[in-house]
Amino acid sequence: MNPVVASEVARRCVYPGSFDPVTLGHVDVVRRLVRLFDEVVVAVLHNPDKVGTFAPEQRVAFVTEAVAGLPGVRVVCHGGRLLVDVCRDLGAGVVVKGVRGSGDVAQEWQMALMNRHLSGVETLLLPADPRYAHISSSLVRQVNAYGGDVHDLVPEAVRQALTGRR
Ligand code: PNS
């Protein structure tokens, strides 16, 4: 079962995702986690069900810039690894996922149980702030690709990079 002791669980969490690219919804989750945990590790990972758009290094750079100034936050990148192995190396027993609705919950539920089965790591689901519940990285990419304005959906550096890709 979970080798991480209770005090560590309360202090540190891992917020994983593909962040392709990071959105204002992701940034809001990190802001809220900073108030709950001493340390928040944002883990940029590979989702084998998704075709990557931005290179992992670029995603990390965008996330790092977006969370700069938030205390106790660090960003890591582990392309070909299981989330549970990343958590084990970090000594983290809690994973947090943001959920925008019942569709997200259903998907996260299964992953949470699988991750708990694999290592004992627990997953907490944080409901998205309604101001950001309509935002996803894939919709942002789509809106941008067809010429839509994404300035209030993503950090400015991401907006500029997306606009340059049209
Ligand atoms: O932002 P996403 O795409 O919803 O994040 C999904 C992600 C990257 C967290 C998930 O695909 C993941 O954990 N990838 C690492 C590989 C892994 O551990 N797979 C088993 C999940 S039960």
Side-chain angles (χ1 to χ4, degrees):
M1 282 304 285
N2 193 343
V4 179
V5 298
S7 60
E8 285 176 304
V9 167
R11 285 193 284 116
R12 181 182 299 127
C13 74
V14 174
Y15 176 43
S18 40
F19 302 104
D20 188 27
V22 65
T23 69
L24 295 186
H26 294 128
V27 176
D28 181 65
V29 169
V30 178
R31 278 208 193 95
R32 291 163 65 192
L33 292 179
V34 162
R35 301 177 64 185
L36 300 173
F37 294 89
D38 291 341
E39 188 181 6
V40 178
V41 183
V42 182
V44 179
L45 303 179
H46 180 238
N47 184 341
D49 297 329
K50 293 180 179 173
V51 179
T53 300
F54 286 101
E57 304 75 30
Q58 184 67 79
R59 298 180 206 179
V60 170
F62 286 143
V63 175
T64 303
E65 185 177 334
V67 301
L70 292 176
V73 179
R74 66 176 153 135
V75 184
V76 300
C77 182
H78 291 283
R81 300 190 70 202
L82 284 174
L83 170 60
V84 292
D85 290 336
V86 173
C87 289
R88 190 179 288 117
D89 288 355
L90 291 166
V94 174
V95 165
V96 180
K97 298 280 193 80
V99 287
R100 293 160 295 196
S102 56
D104 280 355
V105 171
Q107 202 179 1
E108 295 300 342
W109 199 274
Q110 189 180 18
M111 282 196 276
L113 293 178
M114 177 58 78
N115 287 327
R116 188 162 179 267
H117 167 84
L118 291 173
S119 77
V121 72
E122 297 284 8
T123 299
L124 305 181
L125 301 184
L126 188 69
D129 187 299
R131 286 175 297 169
Y132 304 109
H134 59 294
I135 305 177
S136 71
S137 299
S138 57
L139 270 184
V140 164
R141 292 196 307 267
Q142 188 180 124
V143 169
N144 174 73
Y146 288 94
D149 181 6
V150 297
H151 85 275
D152 51 1
L153 304 175
V154 292
E156 177 55 19
V158 174
R159 187 198 66 77
Q160 287 181 18
L162 283 168
T163 306
R165 279 175 167 246
R166 276 183 194 154

mmCIF file of all heavy atoms in Angstrom, residues 16-19 45-48 50 81-84 97 108 111 114-115, ligand 1:
data_model
loop_
_atom_site.group_PDB
_atom_site.id
_atom_site.type_symbol
_atom_site.label_atom_id
_atom_site.label_comp_id
_atom_site.label_asym_id
_atom_site.label_seq_id
_atom_site.Cartn_x
_atom_site.Cartn_y
_atom_site.Cartn_z
ATOM 1 N N PRO A 16 -1.000 16.319 -12.275
ATOM 2 C CA PRO A 16 -0.493 15.856 -13.567
ATOM 3 C C PRO A 16 -1.408 16.231 -14.725
ATOM 4 O O PRO A 16 -2.607 16.485 -14.555
ATOM 5 C CB PRO A 16 -0.500 14.334 -13.378
ATOM 6 C CG PRO A 16 -1.726 14.102 -12.541
ATOM 7 C CD PRO A 16 -1.895 15.322 -11.658
ATOM 8 N N GLY A 17 -0.829 16.234 -15.909
ATOM 9 C CA GLY A 17 -1.633 16.469 -17.101
ATOM 10 C C GLY A 17 -0.741 16.507 -18.313
ATOM 11 O O GLY A 17 0.485 16.433 -18.204
ATOM 12 N N SER A 18 -1.382 16.611 -19.481
ATOM 13 C CA SER A 18 -0.557 16.763 -20.679
ATOM 14 C C SER A 18 -0.287 18.244 -20.974
ATOM 15 O O SER A 18 0.671 18.558 -21.676
ATOM 16 C CB SER A 18 -1.164 16.027 -21.877
ATOM 17 O OG SER A 18 -2.550 16.146 -21.940
ATOM 18 N N PHE A 19 -1.140 19.125 -20.509
ATOM 19 C CA PHE A 19 -0.886 20.570 -20.607
ATOM 20 C C PHE A 19 -0.446 20.958 -22.025
ATOM 21 O O PHE A 19 0.607 21.554 -22.224
ATOM 22 C CB PHE A 19 0.175 21.016 -19.580
ATOM 23 C CG PHE A 19 -0.202 20.711 -18.164
ATOM 24 C CD1 PHE A 19 0.379 19.654 -17.481
ATOM 25 C CD2 PHE A 19 -1.162 21.482 -17.513
ATOM 26 C CE1 PHE A 19 0.015 19.358 -16.170
ATOM 27 C CE2 PHE A 19 -1.537 21.201 -16.198
ATOM 28 C CZ PHE A 19 -0.933 20.134 -15.533
ATOM 29 N N LEU A 45 3.073 15.143 -18.322
ATOM 30 C CA LEU A 45 3.228 13.728 -18.678
ATOM 31 C C LEU A 45 2.673 13.465 -20.071
ATOM 32 O O LEU A 45 2.020 14.325 -20.675
ATOM 33 C CB LEU A 45 2.487 12.854 -17.653
ATOM 34 C CG LEU A 45 2.892 13.008 -16.191
ATOM 35 C CD1 LEU A 45 2.046 12.093 -15.326
ATOM 36 C CD2 LEU A 45 4.368 12.705 -16.000
ATOM 37 N N HIS A 46 2.927 12.263 -20.529
ATOM 38 C CA HIS A 46 2.424 11.870 -21.854
ATOM 39 C C HIS A 46 1.092 11.160 -21.702
ATOM 40 O O HIS A 46 0.958 10.247 -20.874
ATOM 41 C CB HIS A 46 3.441 10.945 -22.537
ATOM 42 C CG HIS A 46 3.002 10.505 -23.892
ATOM 43 N ND1 HIS A 46 2.858 9.191 -24.251
ATOM 44 C CD2 HIS A 46 2.653 11.221 -24.988
ATOM 45 C CE1 HIS A 46 2.448 9.110 -25.495
ATOM 46 N NE2 HIS A 46 2.318 10.336 -25.976
ATOM 47 N N ASN A 47 0.125 11.593 -22.487
ATOM 48 C CA ASN A 47 -1.159 10.896 -22.557
ATOM 49 C C ASN A 47 -1.187 10.130 -23.873
ATOM 50 O O ASN A 47 -1.303 10.727 -24.945
ATOM 51 C CB ASN A 47 -2.311 11.912 -22.499
ATOM 52 C CG ASN A 47 -3.663 11.228 -22.481
ATOM 53 O OD1 ASN A 47 -3.779 10.058 -22.847
ATOM 54 N ND2 ASN A 47 -4.687 11.953 -22.074
ATOM 55 N N PRO A 48 -1.092 8.802 -23.813
ATOM 56 C CA PRO A 48 -1.007 8.022 -25.058
ATOM 57 C C PRO A 48 -2.273 8.096 -25.900
ATOM 58 O O PRO A 48 -2.250 7.706 -27.075
ATOM 59 C CB PRO A 48 -0.739 6.592 -24.565
ATOM 60 C CG PRO A 48 -1.161 6.576 -23.148
ATOM 61 C CD PRO A 48 -1.012 7.964 -22.608
ATOM 62 N N LYS A 50 -3.699 10.873 -26.714
ATOM 63 C CA LYS A 50 -3.750 12.175 -27.385
ATOM 64 C C LYS A 50 -2.545 12.365 -28.295
ATOM 65 O O LYS A 50 -1.435 11.931 -27.950
ATOM 66 C CB LYS A 50 -3.771 13.309 -26.349
ATOM 67 C CG LYS A 50 -5.044 13.351 -25.517
ATOM 68 C CD LYS A 50 -4.983 14.488 -24.523
ATOM 69 C CE LYS A 50 -6.261 14.551 -23.692
ATOM 70 N NZ LYS A 50 -6.160 15.546 -22.601
ATOM 71 N N ARG A 81 6.759 7.912 -18.641
ATOM 72 C CA ARG A 81 6.669 7.225 -17.347
ATOM 73 C C ARG A 81 5.234 7.173 -16.832
ATOM 74 O O ARG A 81 4.403 8.023 -17.168
ATOM 75 C CB ARG A 81 7.539 7.940 -16.315
ATOM 76 C CG ARG A 81 8.996 7.994 -16.701
ATOM 77 C CD ARG A 81 9.813 8.488 -15.542
ATOM 78 N NE ARG A 81 9.871 7.513 -14.462
ATOM 79 C CZ ARG A 81 10.149 7.819 -13.195
ATOM 80 N NH1 ARG A 81 10.361 9.069 -12.856
ATOM 81 N NH2 ARG A 81 10.203 6.885 -12.281
ATOM 82 N N LEU A 82 5.001 6.196 -15.977
ATOM 83 C CA LEU A 82 3.710 6.125 -15.297
ATOM 84 C C LEU A 82 3.643 7.209 -14.227
ATOM 85 O O LEU A 82 4.633 7.483 -13.525
ATOM 86 C CB LEU A 82 3.544 4.771 -14.612
ATOM 87 C CG LEU A 82 3.209 3.561 -15.479
ATOM 88 C CD1 LEU A 82 3.227 2.300 -14.629
ATOM 89 C CD2 LEU A 82 1.863 3.730 -16.165
ATOM 90 N N LEU A 83 2.453 7.766 -14.068
ATOM 91 C CA LEU A 83 2.233 8.761 -13.020
ATOM 92 C C LEU A 83 2.603 8.207 -11.638
ATOM 93 O O LEU A 83 3.210 8.903 -10.819
ATOM 94 C CB LEU A 83 0.761 9.208 -13.044
ATOM 95 C CG LEU A 83 0.279 10.062 -11.888
ATOM 96 C CD1 LEU A 83 1.073 11.356 -11.793
ATOM 97 C CD2 LEU A 83 -1.213 10.348 -12.040
ATOM 98 N N VAL A 84 2.251 6.951 -11.389
ATOM 99 C CA VAL A 84 2.519 6.403 -10.052
ATOM 100 C C VAL A 84 4.025 6.316 -9.766
ATOM 101 O O VAL A 84 4.459 6.470 -8.627
ATOM 102 C CB VAL A 84 1.854 5.023 -9.850
ATOM 103 C CG1 VAL A 84 0.349 5.158 -9.803
ATOM 104 C CG2 VAL A 84 2.296 4.027 -10.912
ATOM 105 N N LYS A 97 -6.650 16.088 -9.597
ATOM 106 C CA LYS A 97 -7.095 16.334 -10.971
ATOM 107 C C LYS A 97 -8.244 17.338 -10.921
ATOM 108 O O LYS A 97 -9.126 17.235 -10.060
ATOM 109 C CB LYS A 97 -7.608 15.044 -11.619
ATOM 110 C CG LYS A 97 -6.579 13.922 -11.761
ATOM 111 C CD LYS A 97 -5.691 14.155 -12.957
ATOM 112 C CE LYS A 97 -4.864 12.937 -13.316
ATOM 113 N NZ LYS A 97 -5.567 11.919 -14.076
ATOM 114 N N GLU A 108 -11.772 10.253 -14.913
ATOM 115 C CA GLU A 108 -10.786 10.329 -13.826
ATOM 116 C C GLU A 108 -11.004 9.226 -12.791
ATOM 117 O O GLU A 108 -10.058 8.772 -12.154
ATOM 118 C CB GLU A 108 -10.843 11.695 -13.149
ATOM 119 C CG GLU A 108 -10.446 12.865 -14.038
ATOM 120 C CD GLU A 108 -9.023 12.755 -14.566
ATOM 121 O OE1 GLU A 108 -8.221 11.974 -14.005
ATOM 122 O OE2 GLU A 108 -8.722 13.439 -15.548
ATOM 123 N N MET A 111 -9.106 6.136 -13.807
ATOM 124 C CA MET A 111 -7.651 6.333 -13.652
ATOM 125 C C MET A 111 -7.265 6.383 -12.173
ATOM 126 O O MET A 111 -6.224 5.856 -11.771
ATOM 127 C CB MET A 111 -7.208 7.614 -14.361
ATOM 128 C CG MET A 111 -7.088 7.460 -15.862
ATOM 129 S SD MET A 111 -6.147 8.782 -16.632
ATOM 130 C CE MET A 111 -7.406 10.018 -16.827
ATOM 131 N N MET A 114 -7.180 2.883 -10.914
ATOM 132 C CA MET A 114 -6.017 2.164 -11.451
ATOM 133 C C MET A 114 -4.739 2.604 -10.741
ATOM 134 O O MET A 114 -3.909 1.767 -10.335
ATOM 135 C CB MET A 114 -5.891 2.415 -12.967
ATOM 136 C CG MET A 114 -4.664 1.768 -13.587
ATOM 137 S SD MET A 114 -4.600 -0.021 -13.358
ATOM 138 C CE MET A 114 -5.764 -0.548 -14.614
ATOM 139 N N ASN A 115 -4.573 3.901 -10.568
ATOM 140 C CA ASN A 115 -3.365 4.400 -9.896
ATOM 141 C C ASN A 115 -3.299 3.926 -8.450
ATOM 142 O O ASN A 115 -2.241 3.591 -7.939
ATOM 143 C CB ASN A 115 -3.295 5.930 -9.992
ATOM 144 C CG ASN A 115 -2.933 6.396 -11.393
ATOM 145 O OD1 ASN A 115 -2.180 5.717 -12.107
ATOM 146 N ND2 ASN A 115 -3.459 7.532 -11.807
HETATM 147 O O1 PNS B 1 -4.331 16.350 -19.277
HETATM 148 P P1 PNS B 1 -4.632 14.889 -19.510
HETATM 149 O O2 PNS B 1 -4.294 14.490 -20.936
HETATM 150 O O3 PNS B 1 -6.051 14.533 -19.159
HETATM 151 O O4 PNS B 1 -3.679 14.080 -18.516
HETATM 152 C C1 PNS B 1 -3.687 12.659 -18.538
HETATM 153 C C2 PNS B 1 -2.390 12.138 -17.917
HETATM 154 C C3 PNS B 1 -1.183 12.674 -18.695
HETATM 155 C C4 PNS B 1 -2.310 12.570 -16.466
HETATM 156 C C5 PNS B 1 -2.446 10.577 -18.003
HETATM 157 O O5 PNS B 1 -2.550 10.174 -19.351
HETATM 158 C C6 PNS B 1 -1.240 9.930 -17.343
HETATM 159 O O6 PNS B 1 -1.231 9.725 -16.146
HETATM 160 N N1 PNS B 1 -0.190 9.628 -18.169
HETATM 161 C C7 PNS B 1 1.024 8.976 -17.659
HETATM 162 C C8 PNS B 1 0.983 7.474 -17.972
HETATM 163 C C9 PNS B 1 0.160 6.734 -16.932
HETATM 164 O O7 PNS B 1 0.433 6.750 -15.755
HETATM 165 N N2 PNS B 1 -0.906 6.049 -17.422
HETATM 166 C C10 PNS B 1 -1.804 5.292 -16.557
HETATM 167 C C11 PNS B 1 -2.977 6.125 -16.095
HETATM 168 S S1 PNS B 1 -4.070 5.184 -15.061
#
